[in-house]
Amino acid sequence: MIFDLSYLDKEFYLQPCLTVARELIGKVLVRKKGRQVYSGIIVETEAYLGSADAASHSYRGKTSRNEQMFGEGGVIYVYFTYGAHFCMNVVTATAGTAHAVLIRAVEPVEGISRMMKNRGTEDIYNLCSGPGKLCSAMEIDLKQNGAVIGGGVINIIEPENIVKRKVIRTKRIGITKNADKLYRFIDSGSPFVSRISRRAILQKTKE
């Protein structure tokens, strides 16, 4: 493994959702399944702000589906969508806040050959460039819903060698409610983000 095991402490996840969404860029997502280890550098996230955000699963209150969002920050919330894809979120803030950060894309690092088998593609740029893609690649599903981050199954760590990244905010994608909110964070220099638009990135960088 090319990364050390500098786990993020509990306080990191108790910060405001938008802060966590931004600071997760450049961190390393590690998924362990038996002897298999998958890892990738987080390059894209999207924040969802509970009852203040009509696009959030927790907007209308607690249900059996979203109950993990209402716990204290530092756990994983996984949901199934469109009858085909799993998506993984990091729950943030204090219990009852119901804020979460969707991990939208990672730059694959470890377990790449296995990820390619799982996804049925050899295109590394298409491997984890979307929330459903990365869950498929890393074998993340509802069994990990509610997992404590750092508990061994799902970990998020500091990279051994910290690289300075140009993080920009954009509108969220793939939604219709509150779609104008700048709640999506990307590493603007990464070719691994989803639905990449170099023109949009260059324009945003100039603003």
Side-chain angles (χ1 to χ4, degrees), residues 8-19:
L8 304 178
D9 59 31
K10 181 73 171 179
E11 296 303 312
F12 176 87
Y13 302 105
L14 298 182
Q15 298 180 96
C17 190
L18 291 171
T19 300

Side-chain angles (χ1 to χ4, degrees), residues 70-153:
F70 288 81
E72 191 172 58
V75 300
I76 294 299
Y77 166 51
V78 180
Y79 63 86
F80 192 54
T81 186
Y82 299 121
H85 306 293
F86 295 100
C87 296
M88 190 195 82
N89 301 258
V90 172
V91 177
T92 70
T94 55
T97 308
H99 289 187
V101 177
L102 175 65
I103 307 299
R104 285 200 55 90
V106 304
E107 175 184 338
V109 174
E110 269 187 296
I112 293 175
S113 61
R114 183 69 183 187
M115 286 189 204
M116 288 179 172
K117 273 188 181 178
N118 293 342
R119 287 268 293 111
T121 180
E122 294 184 354
D123 181 355
I124 195 168
Y125 297 104
N126 186 43
L127 200 54
C128 298
S129 57
K133 293 177 185 179
L134 79 84
C135 283
S136 177
M138 292 187 169
E139 298 188 79
I140 296 171
D141 57 29
L142 292 177
K143 296 184 187 71
Q144 287 73 57
N145 188 36
V148 175
I149 303 172
V153 176

Side-chain angles (χ1 to χ4, degrees), residues 9 14 26 34 36 43 51 64 91 102 107 113 147 155 157 165 173 194:
D9 59 31
L14 298 182
Q36 179 66 56
V43 295
S51 61
S64 57
V91 177
L102 175 65
E107 175 184 338
S113 61
N155 303 311
I157 62 176
R165 298 173 186 275
I173 57 179
S194 66

